[in-house]
Amino acid sequence: MLTRTLKTVAVATAVLLATAGASMAATWAYVDTDAKVRQFHQNASATVNWVEEGQKVKGIGQWNNWYKLQIPGPDGWVKANVLDFGYYDDYPTYPVKPGFGSSFCVDGKNAQFCFGTQF
């Protein structure tokens, strides 16, 4: 009985951590300059898409100074210097303005919700 309970708790914890890690990794940014979107986080990787200056993008992963973007068309990687992660008033609940309140957001394909405070 104890073994079964421990297994259940372990599986539930693993699912919770996997889900929380994926949702907390997502962040919004604006593109500072037109750029190629690469298949992998390497300059020599194939170009799979483009982003344009002013475009709002969702970062879903990071590798050193590269960010993986979820964008219309094929997702891919751009260098960090192409992106601006500043706070924008047109989307006040996500991302959080650094140093002003806190929140935890879950961002799914069909919905998003946040817990926390905004000032």
Side-chain angles (χ1 to χ4, degrees):
M1 181 69 171
L2 180 60
T3 303
R4 183 177 174 188
T5 302
L6 289 175
K7 286 181 183 178
T8 303
V9 169
V11 169
T13 302
V15 169
L16 177 65
L17 290 175
T19 305
S23 65
M24 289 190 296
T27 187
W28 294 97
Y30 283 86
V31 178
D32 270 344
T33 183
D34 296 354
K36 296 177 182 179
V37 177
R38 305 286 184 171
Q39 184 176 13
F40 302 106
H41 45 81
Q42 302 169 354
N43 284 328
S45 181
T47 301
V48 295
N49 206 339
W50 284 86
V51 289
E52 297 178 353
E53 183 178 347
Q55 182 177 349
K56 187 175 184 177
V57 294
K58 183 177 181 181
I60 57 172
Q62 181 181 3
W63 178 264
N64 292 332
N65 66 334
W66 290 84
Y67 281 87
K68 186 168 187 180
L69 302 181
Q70 182 179 30
I71 52 179
D75 297 344
W77 296 85
V78 296
K79 287 210 168 187
N81 64 344
V82 170
L83 303 174
D84 182 359
F85 294 97
Y87 177 76
Y88 297 92
D89 287 332
D90 65 329
Y91 204 3
T93 59
Y94 190 69
V96 174
K97 185 174 183 180
F100 293 93
S102 63
S103 67
F104 172 78
C105 296
V106 177
D107 195 12
K109 290 188 180 219
N110 298 318
Q112 173 188 7
F113 61 92
C114 296
F115 299 102
T117 59
Q118 293 284 320
F119 298 103

